[in-house]
Amino acid sequence: MPKQTIRLTMAQALVRYLAAQRIAGDGAERPLFAGVFAIFGHGNVAGLGEALQHAGDALPVYRAHNEQAMAFAAIAFAKASNRRRMMACTTSIGPGATNMVTAAALAHVNRLPVLLLPGDTFASRRPDPVLQQVEDFGDPGITANDCFRPVARFWDRIVRPEQLVRSLPQALSVLTDPADCGPVVLALPQDVQAEAFDYPAALFEPVLRRSARPRPDSAGVAQAAALLRSAKRPFVIAGGGVHYSEAGGELERFVSRHGIPVAETQAGKGALRWDHPLNAGAIGVTGSSAANRLAADADVIVAVGTRLQDFTTASHTLFAGDVRFVSINVNRHDAIKRDALALRGDAAVTLAELDRELAPLSRDASRTAAIDSATAEWHRAVEEATRAAPDGLPSDAQVLGAVNRASGADATVVCAAGGLPGELHKLWRAAGPGHYHVEYGYSCMGYEIAGGLGVKLAKREREVIVLVGDGSYLMLNSEIATSVALGLKLTIVVLDNRGFGCINRLQQSCGGEAYNNLLPETPAIDFVAHARALGAQAVGVDGIGGLEQALGAAFAARTTQVIVIETDPAKSTDAGGGWWDVPVPEVSASKAVQRAYAEYAKKRAR
């Protein structure tokens, strides 16, 4: 019997395939793709736009205001969904497409799935060069979409409609793979989008996908258990993989049974409640004094689902020279860092198997006392840093302290770049998984508001609070209008320190003078009026008391709220922290730079 076929355009086939993908979880089936963010232009409106219109509710479409921002929102959706669900984004050829390159890099660094569908030039080259085409004089096959190659986990250009039959399963295998997860780019020439092919009907049958949980090698688990039995001062670093594996329960059982203190990376924060007796807080450059002290003293470190990047390791100065690492990670590239004993497997499964291999580890009284003393000291430092001051402009720490106290366990704080993520990592008291969403793998200014939109799409029942500096706000604020249009309420707190206060402080700490980072006193920017013009309700407040009052009203409101507060650009939290390798000029006429270089050389020698 001949195979059944369906004649569809390439764009129609793509949309039908995406709509057929399902995901199992929590005892139910849901669409794998929650929808498509689309900004239409001449490179995608006639082909993919027509297909999406007729798909209707099978694949919902959301109109954004900026291509980079909509991709940020899609990535934030995937992160808030623990990579179980995802979204696609489509743009025209040219600037619409290249606007998404930064977002692709962000997803690549953070190992987050997003499907990017930029329009492309004509595969036939019949009318070349077309509007917005980038012409390579030596290679006519290159288009603007080749910019995505270095920041895509999987990249393809569909130059014949039948190529979808092979390319789509490959794309989905990457998007749903726990180790290779990241951005997928399918460049879609505008003529091919409209061309038809007799596709096999089986391609569009519903596919139920389940999150893979790779198991570690049993010999490696036994070796790791033996290493932990011999350890005097074991320590755990919890990374984002704990959340993506939904392994918070396994982590708590493991460390509680064996009495091992835990530190959290930016991506791992919230893996344990902040007040868990074994939670030592954040680690590294923006870490707590407790976590960094215990990490420096550790003889065996179990790194769970972390990339061990420079902020986590304090530029490789935090740990003792003879410390041994056990790395639990699904990704080979990450698992072998620091010459670790690599346990390649899902975090929840591997922690459970390692726990079964171990009898409860013994811990002497002095170790318990050291952990308790270090964490109690840090909790006092947090209280001091976040306490409202009676006068003067508040610090970032005092603002986030007020927001933290006002928000409940069902809130999610969203942030990305500048000084705020460091203060949040140190000081925010996360009530558990889902309470903390900070993009710090790529530390991308402009992610905040768009990211908040994506979180709200994923978790409509949660209060989503966006903390954003004035610099990031000015870079990308258009999705305030999108949040209002979609009825996805955000509470946005804009901290106005008149420029890039974080980089200004870094500049001065390296011996430089304040230069090109803070804005002049005039003209003043009216953020309240601007947010209102985008459709939000907005208010400016003076001091922490005014902020607390405004937060109460904002949480009770039904539409997007913007609260603007002036902050001090010079203040940051002195407590905690570790060294960050930021090179200082070896030769300079400035005495301050010379002194800074001498200090830098000492620290680099470590």
Side-chain angles (χ1 to χ4, degrees), residues 39 64-71 99 476 478-479 482:
I39 295 180
H65 289 84
N66 176 282
E67 293 91 353
Q68 178 173 298
M70 74 182 188
N99 275 354
L476 201 53
S478 55
E479 301 325 299
T482 307

Side-chain angles (χ1 to χ4, degrees), residues 58-82:
L59 194 62
V61 175
Y62 303 97
R63 219 302 298 278
H65 289 84
N66 176 282
E67 293 91 353
Q68 178 173 298
M70 74 182 188
F72 284 162
I75 294 162
F77 175 92
K79 180 179 172 72
S81 303
N82 288 334

Side-chain angles (χ1 to χ4, degrees), residues 352-385:
E353 293 195 8
L354 183 57
D355 190 35
R356 283 194 292 272
E357 191 77 16
L358 284 169
L361 299 177
S362 60
R363 188 178 69 180
D364 61 36
S366 63
R367 176 69 170 162
T368 301
I371 296 168
D372 293 345
S373 173
T375 53
E377 178 187 329
W378 179 248
H379 291 327
R380 290 191 293 271
V382 172
E383 294 285 351
E384 179 62 29

Side-chain angles (χ1 to χ4, degrees), residues 157-192:
R157 179 177 284 120
I158 308 300
V159 297
R160 293 182 60 87
E162 59 264 38
Q163 288 176 347
L164 281 183
V165 178
R166 296 288 179 263
S167 189
L168 283 174
Q170 290 287 341
L172 266 292
S173 72
V174 172
L175 288 167
T176 57
D177 188 276
D180 291 338
C181 184
V184 165
V185 178
L186 298 181
L188 307 177
Q190 50 194 297
D191 53 342
V192 182

Side-chain angles (χ1 to χ4, degrees), residues 505-574:
R505 294 192 298 271
L506 178 63
Q507 185 176 50
Q508 293 178 305
S509 72
C510 293
E513 300 177 13
Y515 173 65
N516 198 44
N517 284 312
L518 298 184
L519 295 173
E521 289 301 313
T522 55
I525 298 170
D526 192 339
F527 291 102
V528 173
H530 182 270
R532 288 174 179 166
L534 291 176
Q537 296 177 351
V539 62
V541 300
D542 292 321
I544 298 300
L547 173 62
E548 290 172 335
Q549 187 174 359
L551 285 168
F555 294 159
R558 298 175 64 85
T559 192
T560 292
Q561 306 288 302
V562 176
I563 303 168
V564 181
I565 182 170
E566 279 194 71
T567 57
D568 189 333
K571 291 181 182 176
S572 63
T573 303
D574 291 329

Side-chain angles (χ1 to χ4, degrees), residues 5-78:
T5 60
I6 304 174
R7 189 160 185 83
L8 299 168
T9 68
M10 183 266 273
Q12 292 162 358
L14 170 61
V15 168
R16 187 175 292 203
Y17 180 87
L18 296 182
Q21 306 304 304
R22 312 286 294 176
I23 185 70
D26 300 324
E29 287 184 27
R30 291 179 293 173
L32 176 66
F33 287 90
V36 179
F37 275 109
I39 295 180
F40 291 131
H42 73 278
N44 66 342
V45 67
L48 198 54
E50 187 271 347
L52 288 167
Q53 178 187 355
H54 290 286
D57 293 340
L59 194 62
V61 175
Y62 303 97
R63 219 302 298 278
H65 289 84
N66 176 282
E67 293 91 353
Q68 178 173 298
M70 74 182 188
F72 284 162
I75 294 162
F77 175 92

Side-chain angles (χ1 to χ4, degrees), residues 246-268:
E246 297 178 349
E250 285 79 4
L251 175 68
E252 182 173 8
R253 281 189 288 275
F254 181 81
V255 299
S256 297
R257 184 167 179 252
H258 302 291
I260 305 175
V262 179
E264 297 169 325
T265 69
Q266 279 279 16

